[in-house]
Amino acid sequence: MNKVLLWLLLLPPIEIFLWIWLAHFVSGWWIFLWTVAAFFIGVTLMRTSLASVMPQLRGQQGGANFQLDPSTDLAVALSRALAGLLLAIPGLLSDVFAVILLLPPIQRWVQKTVVQVLARRQQAMMAQMQSQGFGGGVFGESPFGDSPFSSGGFGQPSRGTVVEGEARTVEPATEKPKQIGPASANDE
């Protein structure tokens, strides 16, 4: 974490130095125009790549088990979005990293790496859940004792399925239902 913070602090002075150094060889206006063009290219790249990913992320948003399908082009779209972000940041070094991220072999490597990392994390999570006793107890009982949805409630012992009280028959209403709002002339 400290190395990442150090690189983030060193990146702006390095970018400024490269900009000034390259301006000695190429006109400063060309570098400025490249920076403006790279910004608009980066923003467009981010929009198009995230537009393909957002429906999948929105579909997984409400689910309790948040799992993305790594077989899709999710990693490729995310690497393109990151490249767009790097292009939108003014500077030549970030633009070089963005172009490297846009190369197809690098995108395939990123996709393969993301699939491996997700598989390892899923296996570690499953192993942790099994070691903690998740997944059901003996004969389908909860490993935590009584279910919080039983009639006893949280922390209360379960009382079974018997509900105490009296039953009464409810007759359907035979009257005309009351209208809410202004009454029309033919209702009266």
Side-chain angles (χ1 to χ4, degrees):
M1 184 66 183
N2 291 334
K3 290 181 182 181
V4 173
L5 184 61
L6 179 65
W7 278 108
L8 286 177
L9 290 175
L10 287 177
L11 188 63
I14 292 172
E15 293 279 13
I16 292 170
F17 173 76
L18 283 175
W19 207 1
I20 293 171
W21 179 75
L22 195 59
H24 288 296
F25 302 106
V26 181
S27 172
W29 286 106
W30 286 111
I31 295 172
F32 176 73
L33 286 174
W34 167 251
T35 303
V36 171
F39 173 78
F40 287 112
I41 292 169
V43 168
T44 304
L45 191 62
M46 279 192 298
R47 282 185 184 169
T48 56
S49 62
L50 289 179
S52 66
V53 174
M54 289 309 288
Q56 185 178 3
L57 292 176
R58 284 192 185 119
Q60 296 289 335
Q61 187 175 12
N65 52 353
F66 184 76
Q67 293 181 358
L68 295 172
D69 186 15
S71 64
T72 63
D73 291 332
L74 175 70
V76 173
L78 290 178
S79 67
R80 285 183 184 162
L82 180 61
L85 177 67
L86 289 173
L87 280 172
I89 295 172
L92 301 172
L93 189 62
S94 61
D95 294 346
V96 169
F97 285 136
V99 169
I100 290 172
L101 272 176
L102 289 175
L103 296 174
I106 300 296
Q107 289 180 353
R108 283 192 297 270
W109 176 78
V110 166
Q111 185 174 17
K112 185 174 74 170
T113 305
V114 165
V115 168
Q116 289 173 351
V117 166
L118 288 176
R120 273 188 266 141
R121 285 192 177 184
Q122 185 177 13
Q123 287 176 352
M125 184 177 63
M126 294 300 289
Q128 181 183 12
M129 287 174 62
Q130 287 177 351
S131 69
Q132 291 180 353
F134 289 101
V138 180
F139 301 114
E141 296 173 358
S142 172
F144 302 111
D146 291 329
S147 170
F149 303 107
S150 64
S151 61
F154 288 97
Q156 302 285 330
S158 177
R159 296 185 191 129
T161 58
V162 177
V163 178
E164 295 180 19
E166 294 180 16
R168 61 184 170 115
T169 306
V170 178
E171 298 293 327
T174 57
E175 297 179 8
K176 187 175 180 181
K178 294 182 181 179
Q179 181 179 2
I180 299 174
S184 61
N186 51 357
D187 281 345
E188 294 178 11

